[in-house]
Amino acid sequence: MAVLGAYGFAVLAANRVRGSAQETSAAYFRAWQDGDVRAMARLVHQPPADFVSRHLSFTERLHVEEVELVPGAVQSTGEETAEVPFTGSRELREFGPWPFAGTLRLAVRGRAWKVLWSPETLHPLLKDGGTLDLTEFDGPSAELVTREGDKIPNDSYAESYLDRIRPEFGEVNQGWALVSTVPGQPVRRLMTAEPKTEAQRTTLSRPVQAAAARALDGVQDAAIIALRPSSGEVLAVADRLRGASAFHDLFPPGSTFKVITAAALLKSGLDPATEFACPGEYTIPFGRSFHNAGHQDHGTVSFTDAFAHSCNTTFVQQTVARLGTEDLRATAEEWGFGRGLPTGAGGACGTMKDPENADWHGAAAIGQGTVLATPLCMAAIAAAVQSGTWRSPRLLPEDEAARIEGTPHRPVRLDEGIVAALRDMMAAVVDHGTASGAGLPAGVSGKTGTAEVVDGDDHGWFVGYRDDLAFCVFVRHGGAGRTAALPITARFLNGL
């Protein structure tokens, strides 16, 4: 009897199931939440060889930082099978909480309760060969905005300049997408973390840029540049020059260069009130002849009014008589000629050579001959008259412009007496000179210019300022400054 009893106990012990579905599932969920993948594997019936690496790879690939699991009640599905529904949430570094739900299946195997693992135990979307991946995508590069932080107006005619700048801020932020791929089905984005778009401010003013662009609507081969004289900031650049650039390409400035010539003559001691003849035509002794627009004779006028009426004959006569060939170039260089203009989008001012003879000297006095300038350069000269200081223009904040193109030229403080006289002369141009009656708003001072060229009609110019805004309007092959540039200027300034 004792032998039979011992045998029966041994048989019962050998057939008894170790543990329970409740104990095994609880241990499995506890190990999973603690990240103990090897302990999880010991609770699985015949775990795949890559069980540990698959779990670790899943966590690393999706940037899982934490897992929370909430098991439901154990549900019997047979004498030796059970299942546990559960919910969970993975904390993903790029997205935050990512909830999911699944079912843990269990069965008796080898007289012990074991987890019947399959890929969908890790996540339901891994069923039937599905995959989950975290992918990166490029966001947009930095958005260039106005000084106010606003979007730059559409059809602003500033695009070519912004395109020059944009590569300097081309480092893009990365976005993230959590992607589900199931064989035979379209790829799905489950979650998306959009990249943050950086905004890079330019110096452009939204209202000034909009007014400049609208003033050029319907106008071909023209440009408007507006600056803030007190800082050199480019408030607007609207450029419709075909195949040319108002920052980089050089054109004869015509009579707008008389600002420089007048500065040189004033420096030589000429008084603005001194009267001179302004005949319709003047011939340099033993040299060539020069004439006013329409060969108009203005009689005897003050130097201020000679400037206001754009008397070519007076300016040529006084330049040849009073200035050495190097004097005009030296004054032009003081006012920016010969300098690069590191705006952030590049730029140049003007060039001129010392005249070889009196004829070339006379031509330079009225912005012809070897004298060439960009519209940007002439806007900077108008700004210097307004502020009394020549400043290098820039299209970006100072530090960014310097980073891209190097430190600009230092501001140049100009002679106060000369600047005061030039202000009076430019005011006279609008009051009773070549820009009078053109519909300009009150407070504008400026200078018209008409430049003769060999390859077509004249270029039309008007440069000037009003309060803390200076500008240059240039119309290539547009004709006289008064008829070509002044109407555009009036539209621009009245549109502010």
Side-chain angles (χ1 to χ4, degrees):
M1 290 296 292
V3 171
L4 289 173
Y7 175 78
F9 179 80
V11 169
L12 289 172
N15 290 322
R16 187 166 54 193
V17 175
R18 294 188 300 274
S20 67
Q22 174 68 38
E23 292 171 345
T24 299
S25 64
Y28 188 86
F29 284 122
R30 187 166 52 251
W32 189 357
Q33 187 151 307
D34 291 342
D36 191 348
V37 183
R38 287 175 174 78
M40 294 166 63
R42 289 193 292 269
L43 296 168
V44 174
H45 173 64
Q46 296 180 351
D50 63 348
F51 181 88
V52 171
S53 62
R54 185 181 299 207
H55 279 72
L56 295 178
S57 172
F58 185 89
T59 297
E60 182 179 352
R61 191 170 69 251
L62 300 189
H63 300 172
V64 179
E65 296 183 327
E66 187 179 5
V67 178
E68 291 185 2
L69 299 166
V70 181
V74 176
Q75 301 173 1
S76 175
T77 57
E79 290 186 6
E80 295 186 337
T81 60
E83 62 184 26
V84 183
F86 67 93
T87 59
S89 178
R90 290 181 170 93
E91 186 74 20
L92 305 187
R93 187 170 65 213
E94 282 71 29
F95 303 100
W98 177 36
F100 67 104
T103 300
L104 186 70
R105 295 188 302 116
L106 302 103
V108 175
R109 295 289 186 270
R111 293 184 297 279
W113 281 96
K114 292 284 186 175
V115 171
L116 302 181
W117 189 89
S118 61
E120 57 263 37
T121 308
L122 187 58
H123 194 282
L125 290 175
L126 299 179
K127 185 178 181 181
D128 300 329
T131 60
L132 287 165
D133 294 288
L134 195 62
T135 61
E136 284 185 280
F137 60 91
D138 288 342
S141 57
E143 180 185 9
L144 299 176
V145 297
T146 66
R147 60 185 296 107
E148 301 90 353
D150 297 328
K151 187 178 184 298
I152 293 172
N154 294 329
D155 301 322
S156 67
Y157 308 131
E159 287 80 7
S160 62
Y161 299 90
L162 301 177
D163 288 344
R164 287 175 182 263
I165 294 172
R166 198 167 279 113
E168 298 295 337
F169 303 96
E171 185 175 338
V172 299
N173 292 318
Q174 300 296 313
W176 294 91
L178 181 61
V179 176
S180 168
T181 305
V182 177
Q185 297 182 23
V187 175
R188 285 194 300 147
R189 275 192 181 188
L190 305 178
M191 302 175 76
T192 302
E194 295 292 342
K196 184 172 69 173
T197 301
E198 302 290 343
Q200 173 60 50
R201 293 186 187 237
T202 66
T203 61
L204 296 177
S205 162
R206 180 177 175 81
V208 180
Q209 181 65 45
R214 301 295 69 82
L216 287 186
D217 284 343
V219 180
Q220 297 295 324
D221 231 1
I224 298 174
I225 294 175
L227 308 179
R228 173 164 284 168
S230 59
S231 64
E233 295 168 292
V234 178
L235 300 179
V237 50
D239 189 341
R240 301 200 71 189
L241 296 171
R242 292 192 294 267
S245 163
F247 276 21
H248 301 87
D249 292 312
L250 300 166
F251 308 93
S255 290
T256 59
F257 188 75
K258 286 175 183 167
V259 175
I260 302 299
T261 307
L265 289 169
L266 292 166
K267 185 187 295 187
S268 75
L270 190 152
D271 190 297
T274 302
E275 294 188 340
F276 301 99
C278 177
E281 187 170 342
Y282 169 75
T283 301
I284 296 175
F286 309 107
R288 61 166 286 193
S289 294
F290 293 85
H291 60 80
N292 296 329
H295 291 79
Q296 187 170 3
D297 186 337
H298 292 279
T300 300
V301 295
S302 67
F303 182 56
T304 294
D305 281 350
F307 183 91
H309 295 298
S310 204
C311 290
N312 289 338
T313 54
T314 305
F315 269 77
V316 170
Q317 182 182 26
Q318 293 303 311
T319 297
V320 172
R322 289 175 173 269
L323 301 178
T325 55
E326 73 285 352
D327 294 335
L328 196 55
R329 176 185 50 78
T331 301
E333 290 176 352
E334 182 183 13
W335 287 70
F337 269 57
R339 298 174 191 164
L341 302 178
T343 63
C349 193
T351 63
M352 69 173 295
K353 299 176 182 177
D354 286 340
E356 297 178 0
N357 53 47
D359 288 350
W360 284 102
H361 198 19
I366 58 174
Q368 300 281 173
T370 65
V371 180
L372 297 170
T374 63
L376 176 64
C377 180
M378 299 311 298
I381 288 171
V385 175
Q386 191 278 344
S387 69
T389 300
W390 181 90
R391 290 181 173 86
S392 186
R394 55 184 172 83
L395 191 53
L396 289 169
E398 285 185 88
D399 57 341
E400 293 293 352
R403 176 183 65 83
I404 295 170
E405 295 192 69
T407 304
H409 292 275
R410 296 171 62 89
V412 178
R413 185 68 182 170
L414 302 167
D415 184 280
E416 292 182 5
I418 291 174
V419 168
L422 288 172
R423 290 175 187 148
D424 289 341
M425 297 164 87
M426 292 178 73
V429 170
V430 178
D431 179 66
H432 56 270
T434 54
S436 62
L440 298 172
V444 176
S445 298
K447 181 69 188 81
T448 56
T450 304
E452 297 178 356
V453 290
V454 297
D455 61 343
D457 294 336
D458 298 343
H459 298 330
W461 296 79
F462 187 65
V463 302
Y465 60 87
R466 184 192 189 203
D467 299 325
D468 198 18
L469 184 146
F471 56 84
C472 172
V473 177
F474 172 68
V475 186
R476 185 166 62 171
H477 302 309
R482 178 175 175 84
T483 57
L486 270 177
I488 296 172
T489 306
R491 285 200 300 274
F492 165 53
L493 296 178
N494 287 316
L496 291 173

Coordinates of all heavy atoms in Angstrom, one line a residue, residues 181-215:
T181 N 3.6 49.9 -42.7 CA 3.7 49.3 -44.0 C 3.1 47.8 -43.8 O 3.7 47.0 -43.0 CB 5.1 49.2 -44.5 OG1 5.6 50.5 -44.6 CG2 5.1 48.6 -45.9
V182 N 2.1 47.6 -44.5 CA 1.5 46.2 -44.5 C 1.5 45.7 -46.0 O 1.1 46.4 -46.9 CB 0.0 46.2 -44.0 CG1 -0.6 44.9 -44.1 CG2 0.0 46.8 -42.6
P183 N 2.1 44.5 -46.2 CA 2.1 44.0 -47.6 C 0.8 44.1 -48.3 O -0.3 43.7 -47.7 CB 2.6 42.6 -47.4 CG 3.4 42.6 -46.1 CD 2.7 43.6 -45.2
G184 N 0.8 44.6 -49.5 CA -0.4 44.7 -50.3 C -1.3 45.9 -50.0 O -2.4 46.0 -50.6
Q185 N -0.9 46.7 -49.1 CA -1.7 47.9 -48.7 C -0.9 49.2 -48.8 O 0.4 49.1 -48.8 CB -2.2 47.8 -47.2 CG -3.1 46.6 -47.0 CD -3.6 46.6 -45.5 OE1 -3.6 47.6 -44.9 NE2 -4.0 45.4 -45.1
P186 N -1.5 50.3 -49.0 CA -0.8 51.6 -49.2 C -0.1 51.9 -47.8 O -0.5 51.6 -46.7 CB -1.8 52.6 -49.5 CG -3.0 51.8 -49.9 CD -3.0 50.5 -49.3
V187 N 1.1 52.5 -47.9 CA 1.8 53.0 -46.8 C 1.0 54.0 -46.0 O 0.4 54.9 -46.7 CB 3.2 53.5 -47.2 CG1 3.9 54.1 -45.9 CG2 4.0 52.4 -47.8
R188 N 0.9 53.9 -44.7 CA 0.1 54.9 -43.9 C 1.1 55.6 -43.0 O 1.9 55.1 -42.3 CB -0.9 54.2 -43.1 CG -2.1 53.7 -43.9 CD -3.3 53.3 -42.9 NE -2.9 52.3 -42.0 CZ -3.4 52.2 -40.8 NH1 -4.2 53.2 -40.3 NH2 -3.0 51.2 -40.0
R189 N 0.8 57.0 -42.9 CA 1.5 57.8 -41.9 C 0.5 57.8 -40.6 O -0.6 58.3 -40.7 CB 1.7 59.2 -42.3 CG 3.0 59.4 -43.1 CD 3.3 60.9 -43.2 NE 4.5 61.1 -44.0 CZ 5.1 62.3 -44.2 NH1 4.5 63.4 -43.6 NH2 6.2 62.4 -44.8
L190 N 1.0 57.2 -39.5 CA 0.2 57.2 -38.3 C 0.3 58.5 -37.5 O -0.7 58.9 -37.0 CB 0.7 56.0 -37.5 CG 0.7 54.6 -38.1 CD1 1.2 53.6 -37.1 CD2 -0.7 54.2 -38.6
M191 N 1.5 59.0 -37.5 CA 1.7 60.3 -36.8 C 2.8 61.1 -37.5 O 3.7 60.5 -38.2 CB 2.2 60.0 -35.3 CG 1.3 59.1 -34.5 SD 2.0 58.7 -32.9 CE 1.8 60.3 -32.0
T192 N 2.6 62.4 -37.4 CA 3.6 63.3 -38.1 C 4.0 64.4 -37.2 O 3.1 65.0 -36.6 CB 3.0 63.9 -39.4 OG1 2.6 62.8 -40.3 CG2 4.0 64.8 -40.1
A193 N 5.3 64.6 -37.1 CA 5.8 65.8 -36.3 C 6.4 66.7 -37.4 O 7.5 66.5 -37.9 CB 6.8 65.3 -35.3
E194 N 5.7 67.8 -37.7 CA 6.1 68.7 -38.7 C 7.3 69.5 -38.2 O 7.4 69.9 -37.0 CB 5.0 69.7 -39.0 CG 3.8 69.1 -39.7 CD 4.1 68.6 -41.1 OE1 5.1 69.0 -41.6 OE2 3.3 67.7 -41.6
P195 N 8.3 69.8 -39.0 CA 9.5 70.5 -38.6 C 9.1 72.0 -38.3 O 8.2 72.5 -38.9 CB 10.4 70.4 -39.8 CG 9.5 70.2 -41.0 CD 8.4 69.4 -40.4
K196 N 9.8 72.6 -37.4 CA 9.6 74.0 -37.1 C 10.3 74.8 -38.2 O 11.4 74.6 -38.6 CB 10.3 74.4 -35.8 CG 10.0 75.8 -35.4 CD 10.5 76.0 -33.9 CE 12.0 76.0 -33.9 NZ 12.5 76.4 -32.5
T197 N 9.5 75.7 -38.8 CA 10.0 76.6 -39.9 C 10.6 77.8 -39.2 O 10.0 78.5 -38.5 CB 8.9 77.0 -40.8 OG1 8.3 75.8 -41.4 CG2 9.4 77.9 -41.9
E198 N 11.9 78.1 -39.6 CA 12.6 79.2 -39.1 C 12.2 80.4 -39.9 O 12.1 80.3 -41.1 CB 14.1 79.0 -39.1 CG 14.6 77.8 -38.3 CD 14.4 78.0 -36.8 OE1 14.2 79.2 -36.4 OE2 14.5 77.1 -36.0
A199 N 12.1 81.6 -39.3 CA 11.8 82.8 -40.0 C 13.1 83.7 -39.9 O 13.6 84.0 -38.8 CB 10.6 83.6 -39.5
Q200 N 13.6 84.1 -41.1 CA 14.7 85.1 -41.1 C 14.2 86.4 -41.6 O 13.8 86.6 -42.7 CB 15.8 84.5 -42.1 CG 17.0 85.5 -42.3 CD 17.7 85.9 -41.0 OE1 18.0 85.0 -40.2 NE2 17.8 87.2 -40.7
R201 N 14.4 87.4 -40.7 CA 14.0 88.7 -41.1 C 14.9 89.4 -42.1 O 16.2 89.3 -41.9 CB 13.8 89.6 -39.9 CG 12.7 89.1 -39.0 CD 12.4 90.1 -37.8 NE 11.5 89.6 -36.9 CZ 10.3 90.2 -36.5 NH1 10.1 91.4 -37.0 NH2 9.5 89.6 -35.7
T202 N 14.4 90.0 -43.1 CA 15.2 90.9 -43.9 C 14.9 92.4 -43.4 O 14.2 92.6 -42.5 CB 14.7 90.8 -45.4 OG1 13.4 91.3 -45.5 CG2 14.8 89.3 -45.8
T203 N 15.5 93.3 -44.1 CA 15.2 94.7 -43.8 C 14.0 95.3 -44.6 O 13.6 96.4 -44.4 CB 16.5 95.6 -44.1 OG1 16.8 95.5 -45.5 CG2 17.7 95.1 -43.3
L204 N 13.5 94.5 -45.5 CA 12.4 95.0 -46.3 C 11.2 95.3 -45.4 O 10.8 94.6 -44.5 CB 11.9 93.9 -47.3 CG 13.0 93.5 -48.4 CD1 12.4 92.4 -49.2 CD2 13.4 94.7 -49.2
S205 N 10.6 96.5 -45.7 CA 9.4 96.9 -45.1 C 8.2 96.5 -45.9 O 8.1 96.8 -47.1 CB 9.4 98.4 -44.9 OG 8.1 98.9 -44.6
R206 N 7.2 95.8 -45.3 CA 6.1 95.3 -46.0 C 5.3 96.4 -46.8 O 5.1 96.3 -48.0 CB 5.1 94.5 -45.1 CG 3.9 94.0 -45.9 CD 2.9 93.2 -45.0 NE 1.8 92.9 -45.8 CZ 1.7 91.9 -46.6 NH1 2.7 91.1 -46.9 NH2 0.6 91.6 -47.3
P207 N 5.0 97.6 -46.1 CA 4.2 98.6 -46.9 C 5.1 99.3 -47.9 O 4.6 99.6 -49.0 CB 3.8 99.6 -45.8 CG 4.7 99.3 -44.6 CD 5.0 97.9 -44.7
V208 N 6.4 99.5 -47.7 CA 7.2 100.1 -48.7 C 7.5 99.2 -49.9 O 7.4 99.6 -51.0 CB 8.6 100.6 -48.0 CG1 9.4 101.3 -49.1 CG2 8.3 101.5 -46.9
Q209 N 7.7 97.9 -49.6 CA 7.9 96.9 -50.7 C 6.7 96.8 -51.5 O 6.7 96.8 -52.7 CB 8.3 95.6 -50.1 CG 8.6 94.5 -51.2 CD 9.8 94.8 -52.0 OE1 10.8 95.2 -51.5 NE2 9.6 94.7 -53.3
A210 N 5.5 96.8 -50.9 CA 4.2 96.6 -51.6 C 4.0 97.9 -52.5 O 3.6 97.7 -53.6 CB 3.1 96.5 -50.6
A211 N 4.3 99.1 -52.0 CA 4.1 100.3 -52.7 C 5.0 100.3 -53.9 O 4.7 100.7 -55.0 CB 4.3 101.5 -51.9
A212 N 6.3 99.9 -53.7 CA 7.3 99.9 -54.8 C 6.8 98.9 -55.9 O 6.9 99.2 -57.1 CB 8.7 99.5 -54.3
A213 N 6.4 97.7 -55.5 CA 6.0 96.7 -56.5 C 4.8 97.1 -57.3 O 4.8 97.0 -58.5 CB 5.7 95.4 -55.8
R214 N 3.8 97.7 -56.6 CA 2.6 98.1 -57.3 C 2.9 99.3 -58.2 O 2.2 99.5 -59.3 CB 1.5 98.5 -56.3 CG 1.1 97.4 -55.4 CD 0.4 96.2 -56.1 NE 1.3 95.4 -56.9 CZ 2.1 94.4 -56.5 NH1 2.1 94.1 -55.2 NH2 2.9 93.7 -57.3
A215 N 3.9 100.1 -57.9 CA 4.2 101.3 -58.8 C 4.9 100.8 -60.1 O 4.8 101.5 -61.1 CB 5.2 102.2 -58.0

